[in-house]
Amino acid sequence: MVRSSQAWYVKSVEKTFAVLGAFTAESPRLSVSEVAAAADLSRAAARRFLLTLADLGYLSGDGARYQLAPRSLNIGSAFLSSLTLPALAEPHLKTLSADLQETASICILDGEHIVYVARITSPRLVSVAVHVGTRFPAWATSMGRVLLAALEPEDMESRLDRSDLRPYTPNTLWDRAALLDEIDGVRQRGWSVVLEEYEEGLSGVAVPIHQGNEVVAAANVSLHHRNPTGPALSETVLPRLRDAAAAISADYGIRVTG
């Protein structure tokens, strides 16, 4: 939980968002005790926050377990509606997805996570449900590594410090030294490929989207688990993904340098 000593700081707001942030894709339904532990609150305080948020319509529950209610979408919908990048990117993602017959997505970096802001799905089956607003640990994903590689070293290391580095699958690169080497490699070559590191059957390749010299987002194409690498990656998928990212950048008022 973020702490501040500023005189204007309202701790109850901090605690409210800590309670809301306790609900994740991995833990969508939580008990009072689980929320208390996740938000660093006493059980009594957690219960008061949960009951208040339920009365306001942001949570639903039966008193034993709670979950986010549809009204909680209002918190992020204003941000998404004001973000022009997804709308500008959608035609290019549709073309890319249809061309490659794969899912194409765009993510931004939020703390130590990536957040999907645009996604065009292909008919191919993917082993996890991913949609706009889904969050994944940045270090374990192709888009996340592209975005981490664009940060100043101190900022990138700080985000890794706050990350839960652990093996999600047998393929996960979670040793910190090896992970730093990989992120450095992503920085040098300008793209990242991750093969079944976060979820078995889920692989992807990603490239950055720029605003001037600044990386503002990452674009990704899923890789079919039967043939995720090989000539198709370097000769077909990566060039078309780069072309799409450059087109999105141009439509976003961006001129990619170099």
Side-chain angles (χ1 to χ4, degrees):
M1 189 182 296
V2 177
R3 304 290 183 184
S4 175
S5 59
Q6 297 292 337
W8 45 259
Y9 198 75
V10 182
K11 291 187 178 297
S12 59
V13 175
E14 174 191 305
K15 293 174 182 178
T16 298
F17 281 97
V19 169
L20 290 171
F23 296 91
T24 65
E26 294 78 17
S27 303
R29 286 177 53 81
L30 297 172
S31 68
V32 175
S33 297
E34 289 169 336
V35 170
D40 193 22
L41 297 171
S42 68
R43 192 179 186 282
R47 181 174 181 275
R48 292 196 298 272
F49 277 96
L50 290 167
L51 290 173
T52 301
L53 288 166
D55 283 347
L56 292 172
Y58 291 99
L59 297 177
S60 61
D62 56 9
R65 304 191 77 81
Y66 292 83
Q67 62 189 16
L68 294 175
R71 190 173 184 181
S72 64
L73 291 172
N74 294 344
I75 297 173
S77 63
F79 168 71
L80 287 174
S81 64
S82 66
L83 190 64
T84 57
L85 179 59
L88 292 170
E90 186 173 340
H92 300 291
L93 293 180
K94 285 182 176 178
T95 299
L96 182 64
S97 178
D99 189 22
L100 297 176
Q101 287 295 291
E102 296 287 8
T103 296
S105 309
I106 287 181
C107 279
I108 59 174
L109 191 62
D110 180 23
E112 59 269 31
H113 295 87
I114 57 167
V115 180
Y116 282 75
V117 297
R119 185 167 173 85
I120 302 298
T121 58
S122 78
R124 296 184 190 273
L125 295 177
V126 178
S127 59
V128 295
V130 180
H131 49 78
V132 170
T134 294
R135 300 166 65 88
F136 285 146
W139 66 271
T141 65
S142 61
M143 283 188 284
R145 289 177 186 174
V146 164
L147 294 169
L148 289 172
L151 300 175
E152 292 296 326
E154 297 80 6
D155 189 5
M156 183 266 293
E157 295 245 22
S158 175
R159 294 178 197 239
L160 289 182
D161 288 341
R162 302 193 300 270
S163 300
D164 179 18
L165 303 183
R166 58 189 174 95
Y168 289 101
T169 76
N171 297 321
T172 305
L173 181 66
W174 64 286
D175 174 77
R176 182 164 181 135
L179 184 60
L180 288 172
D181 286 344
E182 174 60 20
I183 293 173
D184 184 60
V186 170
R187 184 181 300 109
Q188 294 181 39
R189 64 178 177 264
W191 57 275
S192 173
V193 60
V194 168
L195 305 177
E196 301 186 271
E197 292 193 38
Y198 184 70
E199 180 84 10
E200 292 189 25
L202 183 65
S203 300
V205 58
V207 299
I209 295 174
H210 295 82
Q211 184 173 36
N213 291 324
E214 180 184 0
V215 174
V216 294
N220 159 281
V221 167
S222 64
L223 298 174
H224 195 268
H225 70 278
R226 289 181 299 184
N227 186 24
T229 58
L233 175 62
S234 59
E235 297 174 10
T236 303
V237 176
L238 188 56
R240 293 179 186 179
L241 176 59
R242 280 175 161 163
D243 287 345
I248 293 168
S249 296
D251 281 358
Y252 196 42
I254 300 164
R255 296 297 179 266
V256 180
T257 59

